[in-house]
Amino acid sequence: MLTILTFLGFTAFVAFYTWFKLRKEKLDSSDGYFLGGRSLTGIVIAGSMLLTNISTEHLIGMNGSTYKNGFIVISWEVTSALALVIAAIFFIPRYLKLGLTTIPEYLEKRFDGLTRSLVALFLVISFVVTLLPIVLYTGAINLESIFDVSEVLGITRSEGLWLTVVSIGVIGSVYAIFGGLKAVAFSDTINGFGLLAGGILVPLIALISIGGGNPIEGLIKVYENAPEKFNVIGERDSVMPFGVLFTGLIINQLYFWGMNQTIIQRALGARNLKEAQKGLLFTGVLKILVPLIIVLPGVIGFYYFGDSMYDNQDLIYPALIKKVLPLSLTGFFAAVVMGAVLSTFNSVLNSAATIFSIDVYKRMINKDASEKRLVWIGRALSSVLAITAIIAAPMVARAPEGLYQLLQQLNGIFFIPIASIMLAGFYMEKISAVGAKVALLFGLFYYIITTFILKIDIHFIHNWGIEFVLNVALMFVVSYFYPRKNYSIRTAPLNMEMIPWKYTRHLSIILVVITIMIYILLGQN
């Protein structure tokens, strides 16, 4: 009972605080609804970006993978800091100078309207097919595990999962549909601090218990129990070979943190360039710290449970929570897990609504649509997507073990082709619109065929690198025969300060050095 009361209390506090702060906001303009009125600060941006990224597929999937494979999966996190540095220095100033609301909007300015529409359509499809149902289902699994919903209510586990899925979907939809980006960002910030606090408590309490009151002693015992688990250099046949850092991984990270609408939309909503850069770099700092929450607990779980849960690795984190946290904190942390699920869910809904309203509806269906009409269309689409995701979520129940790895494989279908044409648009002046469209479609079919049909014997991240090189080569060839005709890019300057943050380079250098040191220090095991 105490667990449930704590859970409901923290969840209600987040909802009330968000409503109270935004009760006087006007959300009848596209900037107000989709970009928070371009008024977000660096702290809010960083908190929202972190919570949009970190959800149950990280808390459960990453810790489960670490439990089985060790620290080698840390590459997904610490290399994010490098991508965020590049986004802060090179990408976000370009976006703000162009006055962008969406990333596909840039593709029309650089290439043409059809390229923009294709990418927008692919993004909305990717949200519905992969991310939304998986986030809902993994969230439901973990809340059901923590609360034993089916047992408490006297229903089957399947019915308990359905009930949890619907509850998460409805609550997340309310934030995204009626509050817009600012409501999403404010609730994310509170949940972000809760995630950091609660997430750090799990390994801290565990290490204090293992070390007899001394967490350092506890960490030493965990290390001595399985030193090989702390190695960050993956072998060629591991789930995360070290070599992928230099092939496809960095391309994926550049896309995710610098070109992904769901993430970068927070920086596009900044009040000025300084706050946007602060938000991106603060997120980089958090990503360096996040392994304490989504990697270290997995190895601690191995200390407690050995290899007894290798066949059910995704259950290791809920098991660890139940073992080390008192009931009152279990309820609080369940609320934080709920917040992480809601954050990703409602952020994706808001981004999908933004992309469809701006890049599809206004451009292809109703060019004269009013601001209020765009907001209405965005809310309508969010409702449809939410209902679709709720219905589809239980259908992923038969997904193979290692859902986090599968999700990354699925992301490659869209991430790498879009990253290819975005980077070509930035830095390869002669690439034409025809070349971009051919490379976009080639990349999609190449990856689907080689990864899911032919199932070639090569790590999928290496395949990302191969695909990127092939896409660039193809763009050069096609652009030779169908050259670029228009070299001007239309701009729509924003009424905001474009003065860079004075500590951008300092913090960027620190993040790069820390990332390198992690591999030097932890690569010796």
Side-chain angles (χ1 to χ4, degrees), residues 232-251:
V232 297
I233 308 296
E235 300 294 333
R236 287 187 177 182
D237 59 348
S238 67
V239 296
M240 200 73 182
F242 181 66
V244 302
L245 272 68
F246 308 100
T247 57
L249 183 61
I250 192 61
I251 304 299

Side-chain angles (χ1 to χ4, degrees), residues 372-406:
K372 288 185 178 181
R373 180 68 176 175
L374 289 177
V375 172
W376 186 90
I377 290 295
R379 285 173 168 160
L381 180 75
S382 295
S383 302
V384 172
L385 292 184
I387 293 170
T388 304
I390 290 171
I391 294 173
M395 297 180 185
V396 305
R398 297 181 181 179
E401 185 182 356
L403 188 59
Y404 183 80
Q405 197 83 342
L406 176 62

Side-chain angles (χ1 to χ4, degrees), residues 172-469:
S173 302
V174 169
Y175 275 111
I177 295 170
F178 297 105
L181 179 65
K182 205 161 188 178
V184 171
F186 265 90
S187 60
D188 284 356
T189 303
I190 305 169
N191 281 315
F193 287 117
L195 177 68
L196 289 174
I200 289 173
L201 276 177
V202 173
L204 181 61
I205 292 176
L207 292 176
I208 289 174
S209 175
I210 294 170
N214 186 337
I216 302 300
E217 183 65 30
L219 183 61
I220 292 173
K221 287 184 178 180
V222 171
Y223 174 81
E224 291 175 343
N225 178 64
E228 71 281 359
K229 294 286 186 182
F230 285 80
N231 181 33
V232 297
I233 308 296
E235 300 294 333
R236 287 187 177 182
D237 59 348
S238 67
V239 296
M240 200 73 182
F242 181 66
V244 302
L245 272 68
F246 308 100
T247 57
L249 183 61
I250 192 61
I251 304 299
N252 175 79
Q253 299 289 52
L254 284 176
Y255 171 80
F256 189 85
W257 294 104
M259 308 171 198
N260 181 356
Q261 180 71 28
T262 306
I263 295 294
I264 205 66
Q265 187 166 334
R266 280 104 191 92
L268 295 178
R271 65 172 54 160
N272 52 43
L273 175 59
K274 181 174 74 172
E275 294 300 325
Q277 290 181 321
K278 285 165 64 175
L280 289 168
L281 294 175
F282 288 167
T283 306
V285 173
L286 294 175
K287 291 298 286 183
I288 294 291
L289 298 174
V290 152
L292 295 173
I293 299 172
I294 62 176
V295 175
L296 180 59
V299 179
I300 295 174
F302 185 80
Y303 176 88
Y304 277 121
F305 304 104
D307 60 5
S308 63
M309 298 181 69
Y310 269 11
D311 292 334
N312 296 288
Q313 64 185 58
D314 290 338
L315 298 180
I316 192 69
Y317 194 63
L320 186 63
I321 290 173
K322 287 184 176 181
K323 184 171 185 65
V324 305
L325 290 185
L327 288 179
S328 57
L329 288 179
T330 300
F332 162 72
F333 195 68
V336 171
V337 170
M338 177 77 160
V341 177
L342 291 178
S343 172
T344 302
F345 183 71
N346 57 31
S347 296
V348 171
L349 282 184
N350 186 265
S351 294
T354 305
I355 291 172
F356 184 82
S357 300
I358 304 297
D359 297 313
V360 179
Y361 182 81
K362 185 173 178 62
R363 190 188 164 274
M364 302 180 68
I365 301 174
N366 185 357
K367 294 182 179 180
D368 299 321
S370 66
E371 297 283 290
K372 288 185 178 181
R373 180 68 176 175
L374 289 177
V375 172
W376 186 90
I377 290 295
R379 285 173 168 160
L381 180 75
S382 295
S383 302
V384 172
L385 292 184
I387 293 170
T388 304
I390 290 171
I391 294 173
M395 297 180 185
V396 305
R398 297 181 181 179
E401 185 182 356
L403 188 59
Y404 183 80
Q405 197 83 342
L406 176 62
L407 181 59
Q408 295 297 343
Q409 284 183 295
L410 292 174
N411 284 339
I413 297 173
F414 303 97
F415 285 10
I416 306 303
I418 297 174
S420 301
I421 64 173
M422 287 288 292
L423 289 171
F426 288 161
Y427 302 112
M428 302 171 192
E429 193 175 75
K430 293 186 177 181
I431 299 301
S432 66
V434 176
K437 286 192 284 288
V438 170
L440 180 65
L441 295 174
F442 168 80
L444 287 168
F445 287 112
Y446 166 84
Y447 185 76
I448 291 172
I449 291 171
T450 57
T451 302
F452 299 106
I453 298 177
L454 298 180
K455 298 181 179 179
I456 61 173
D457 187 20
I458 184 172
H459 197 283
F460 71 91
I461 301 181
H462 282 313
N463 201 25
W464 289 350
I466 295 172
E467 178 189 348
F468 179 78
V469 172

Side-chain angles (χ1 to χ4, degrees), residues 491-503:
T491 61
L494 298 171
N495 184 25
M496 68 164 57
E497 290 183 3
M498 292 298 293
I499 301 173
W501 186 37
K502 62 180 179 180
Y503 297 115

